[in-house]
Amino acid sequence: MNVLKNFEALFVVTLGLACAANYVLDTDTAATAEAQPIVARAAGPAFAAKDLQVVVVSAKRMSAEQKAQSLLDERKASASYNAGATGKI
């Protein structure tokens, strides 16, 4: 029975330490949030990055015929891959 009491005490102490750590880390983030502008706080951590990488894709849109052909090619490739993969496990 002493073992169970010791485990219970260990659990309570661990829970207390976890709550204290959560409180300390939460107050630390609250202090840094006050230093940020309102816009950055509203947008969240994604807006806080200074060197945000941006990907720009410049390409023409596909016509309806090109889309249909692309879908057919993709289905053919997928069907041939699935036909070869069905025998393997």
Side-chain angles (χ1 to χ4, degrees):
M1 288 305 247
N2 277 341
V3 175
L4 291 177
K5 288 182 181 180
N6 289 338
F7 276 126
E8 183 181 359
L10 181 65
F11 176 75
V12 170
V13 169
T14 305
L15 187 63
L17 288 174
C19 289
N22 187 23
Y23 178 75
V24 168
L25 292 176
D26 192 34
T27 56
D28 186 31
T29 7
T32 57
E34 290 176 3
Q36 293 178 347
I38 293 173
V39 175
R41 277 188 271 159
F47 185 76
K50 300 282 184 198
D51 300 325
L52 186 65
Q53 296 180 356
V54 179
V55 176
V56 178
V57 178
S58 59
K60 293 181 181 179
R61 290 185 178 258
M62 294 172 70
S63 67
E65 295 170 356
Q66 290 172 331
K67 282 183 186 179
Q69 185 61 40
S70 176
L71 284 172
L72 285 173
D73 293 342
E74 186 176 334
R75 287 180 185 149
K76 285 180 186 176
S78 177
S80 65
Y81 175 76
N82 288 339
T86 56
K88 299 176 185 175
I89 294 180

